[in-house]
């Protein structure tokens, strides 16, 4: 998978905390927009961006080239919400950390590389460590990282809530439109469906936002709607998500706080595709991931939709019922 790059030479000297010597260099580009260091006051599902520039020193070896670039994120303790048990000892004994997620793993055959990802912060209390590594043909490697901390005063609630703010139309490979409803991650196309599709992130995806920002689809909706072949996104890697339009107004959404209240809003079989979203609609959903047997139940309130004249994109307020570890 290749990312199309546009290099701005005036930014190259703005690297923060990067080495200035060595045959392989990896810089954070620093600006008011980009995250380049640890942050301790990040809001749940905040949209953030960072930018890194990697380059090889060809002064002594003109044939040297970058060969690989990886970006991984590790969530601690877990990215998914969970209901706390009444016995603290049970909680401590079962809280195994999540395995790191690979956000990008690409091969390169060039002397430099600019990577500017936009991503959403975790929606539950905890930390996430973003680590970026560049490698070159001569076996050199350089790594940069930062840690983000999200604190929530409502961790003991029986539901998790967050708001996704998505830019539309989502026509580029960097558009975040592959949604893990339970954890609140909104993933870009290159992460899920890159040159080498990421099976782990495919299995996490519960919902796909269509590029116009007015339609939602379950990953198991095949054919012309999603246009992802069984080869690139195998059926065993697809979640089964169903939606049902409820009679709830925004006030009804706010008052649905018990796990049973949320679950009971989903009745019947539901549908795999929402054709047109409208402001203040409330949908109930039921999602079953490929490697799970217990469904995730939740509610989606449409806060805003793109209208062609406003800069506001698609905003969805999502509430999911927590489950025990």
């Amino acid at each position: 998978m290749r990312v199309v790059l546009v290099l701005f030479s005036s930014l190259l000297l703005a690297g923060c905390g990067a080495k200035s010597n060595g045959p392989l260099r990896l810089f954070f580009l620093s600006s008011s927009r980009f995250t380049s260091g640890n942050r301790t006051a990040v809001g749940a599902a905040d949209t953030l961006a960072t930018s890194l520039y990697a380059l090889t020193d060809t002064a002594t070896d003109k044939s040297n080239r970058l060969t690989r670039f990886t970006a991984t994120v590790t969530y601690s303790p877990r990215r998914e919400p969970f209901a706390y048990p009444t016995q603290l000892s049970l909680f401590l004994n079962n809280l195994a950390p999540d395995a790191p997620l690979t956000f990008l793993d690409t091969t390169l055959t060039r002397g430099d590389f600019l990577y500017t990802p936009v991503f959403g912060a975790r929606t539950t209390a905890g930390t996430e460590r973003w680590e970026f590594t560049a490698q070159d043909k001569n076996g050199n490697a350089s790594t940069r990282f930062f840690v983000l901390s999200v604190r929530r005063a409502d961790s003991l609630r029986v539901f998790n809530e967050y708001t996704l703010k998505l830019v539309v139309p989502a026509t580029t490979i960097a558009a975040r439109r592959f949604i893990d409803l339970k954890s609140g991650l909104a993933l870009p196309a290159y992460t899920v469906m890159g040159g080498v599709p990421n099976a782990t992130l495919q299995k996490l995806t519960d919902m796909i936002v269509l590029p116009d920002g007015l339609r939602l689809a379950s990953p198991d909706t095949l054919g012309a709607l999603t246009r992802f072949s069984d080869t690139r996104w195998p059926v065993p890697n697809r979640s089964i998500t169903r939606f049902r339009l409820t009679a709830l107004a925004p006030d009804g959404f706010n008052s649905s706080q018990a796990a049973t209240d949320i679950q009971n809003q989903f009745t019947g079989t539901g549908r795999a595709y929402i054709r047109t979203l409208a402001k203040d609609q409330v949908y109930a959903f039921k999602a079953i991931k490929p490697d799970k047997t217990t469904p995730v139940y939740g509610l989606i309130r449409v806060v805003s939709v793109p209208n062609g004249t406003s800069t506001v994109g698609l905003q969805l307020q999502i509430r999911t019922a927590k489950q025990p570890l």
Side-chain angles (χ1 to χ4, degrees):
M1 193 281 299
R2 305 295 172 81
V3 178
V4 178
L5 305 176
V6 180
L7 299 182
F8 297 91
S9 59
S10 61
L11 290 177
L12 300 185
L13 298 180
C16 177
K19 295 178 181 178
S20 60
N21 57 353
L24 172 59
R25 288 165 284 176
L26 180 60
F27 299 87
F28 274 122
L29 304 187
S30 182
S31 77
S32 59
R33 176 192 173 204
F34 298 138
T35 298
S36 58
N38 298 343
R39 293 181 56 178
T40 59
V42 179
D46 276 357
T47 298
L48 304 171
T50 189
S51 190
L52 297 101
Y53 180 61
L55 74 161
T56 57
D57 181 5
T58 57
T60 56
D61 183 357
K62 296 185 180 300
S63 67
N64 193 19
R65 292 290 183 269
L66 296 170
T67 57
R68 188 180 183 189
F69 188 91
T70 59
T72 62
V73 55
T74 303
Y75 298 93
S76 180
R78 287 188 176 182
R79 65 181 176 274
E80 294 185 344
F82 51 84
Y84 283 82
T86 55
Q87 297 183 35
L88 183 59
S89 60
L90 296 178
F91 164 69
L92 294 175
N93 291 337
N94 287 282
L95 195 60
D98 282 332
L101 293 180
T102 299
F103 207 74
L104 175 69
D105 188 348
T106 185
T107 57
L108 301 169
T109 57
R110 55 186 302 152
D112 57 12
F113 181 73
L114 178 67
Y115 180 52
T116 306
V118 176
F119 58 95
R122 61 182 300 151
T123 66
T124 56
T127 63
E128 53 188 90
R129 175 188 168 106
W130 288 82
E131 185 168 300
F132 310 90
T133 300
Q135 300 175 17
D136 68 13
K137 188 183 70 171
N138 293 334
N140 301 301
S142 184
T143 298
R144 298 288 175 266
F145 73 90
F146 55 74
V147 177
L148 308 178
S149 298
V150 174
R151 298 171 181 172
R152 299 197 66 159
D154 52 9
S155 294
L156 293 179
R157 291 192 310 190
V158 297
F159 64 88
N160 185 46
E161 185 175 290
Y162 56 90
T163 299
L164 294 178
K165 299 178 180 180
L166 305 174
V167 176
V168 290
T171 55
T172 69
I173 62 172
R176 298 188 302 134
R177 60 190 187 93
F178 294 80
I179 314 300
D180 176 357
L181 289 166
K182 188 174 183 180
S183 69
L185 297 183
L187 301 166
Y190 73 82
T191 294
V192 180
M193 298 296 296
V196 179
N198 190 318
T200 299
L201 298 184
Q202 288 179 352
K203 291 180 179 181
L204 288 182
T205 301
D206 299 308
M207 182 176 76
I208 303 167
V209 179
L210 276 294
D212 59 11
L214 293 172
R215 296 173 292 160
L216 305 177
S218 170
D220 72 328
T221 303
L222 306 178
L225 181 62
T226 58
R227 299 184 180 181
F228 300 129
S229 69
D230 292 353
T231 301
R232 291 187 54 74
W233 194 336
V235 172
N237 293 349
R238 297 179 184 239
S239 295
I240 299 173
T241 303
R242 295 296 179 263
F243 308 95
R244 176 187 176 273
L245 180 62
T246 73
L248 293 176
D251 288 344
F253 175 94
N254 293 332
S255 63
S256 298
Q257 299 188 5
T260 53
D261 291 341
I262 296 172
Q263 182 173 336
N264 290 342
Q265 287 297 325
F266 186 90
T267 58
T269 58
R271 50 180 168 163
Y273 173 45
I274 300 176
R275 295 180 180 277
T276 304
L277 295 172
K279 186 178 183 298
D280 288 334
Q281 286 178 331
V282 177
Y283 287 88
F285 68 83
K286 173 184 177 181
I288 304 177
K289 295 186 185 296
D291 53 355
K292 304 290 184 181
T293 57
T294 303
V296 176
Y297 289 93
L299 300 173
I300 301 173
R301 177 196 164 206
V302 183
V303 179
S304 69
V305 294
N307 57 22
T309 59
S310 172
T311 57
V312 177
L314 176 65
Q315 294 191 27
L316 302 174
Q317 185 179 4
I318 298 174
R319 179 173 293 182
T320 61
K322 290 182 180 179
Q323 300 168 345
L325 287 170

